[in-house]
Amino acid sequence: MNTLMDMNFKKLCGEVSSHDLVNPSEYRQLIRELMFLVNIRPNICFVINTLSQYMIKPSFAHWIVANHVLGYLHGTINIGLRYNTKDVRLHGYSDVD
């Protein structure tokens, strides 16, 4: 999967009917587990933050997007940064007015 949030954002914010609802406890458990990955994969932060806003009444569209995130993580499992251990120098800059 190339993109992290492939679905239309308006579908997530739309009205939810009673037959579109999923099991909230399963959805909460999945989002809770994905929140742990935000520390090591900051590129999923926006999506997980957006999905966590619907933990009370998750719909089927939210469940699909959460599973799409899992597919994205599975497809990008070998992507990362490699540091040379011989010469590591980290520099930080800040522009505060």
Side-chain angles (χ1 to χ4, degrees):
M1 298 193 178
N2 299 4
T3 60
L4 187 56
M5 196 164 179
D6 200 24
M7 288 189 69
N8 189 352
F9 187 71
K10 290 182 182 180
K11 288 183 182 179
L12 294 178
C13 300
E15 288 293 320
V16 178
S17 63
S18 61
H19 68 277
D20 286 341
L21 296 177
V22 296
N23 187 356
S25 62
E26 290 180 11
Y27 181 78
R28 288 182 195 129
Q29 182 180 359
L30 176 60
I31 297 302
R32 212 175 302 127
E33 292 170 0
L34 287 172
M35 281 184 184
F36 282 109
L37 291 176
V38 170
N39 295 326
I40 59 173
R41 299 289 300 263
N43 57 334
I44 65 170
C45 186
F46 174 75
V47 178
I48 302 306
N49 181 24
T50 303
L51 291 175
S52 68
Q53 295 174 10
Y54 301 99
M55 291 179 83
I56 294 175
K57 283 178 66 174
S59 71
F60 188 69
H62 303 118
W63 183 257
I64 294 295
V65 173
N67 283 314
H68 184 81
V69 171
L70 291 176
Y72 173 81
L73 291 172
H74 180 24
T76 60
I77 200 164
N78 294 324
I79 296 175
L81 296 175
R82 184 177 303 209
Y83 295 103
N84 186 0
T85 58
K86 294 179 183 178
D87 187 27
V88 175
R89 295 180 194 175
L90 297 176
H91 298 279
Y93 299 98
S94 177
D95 184 17
V96 179
D97 291 334

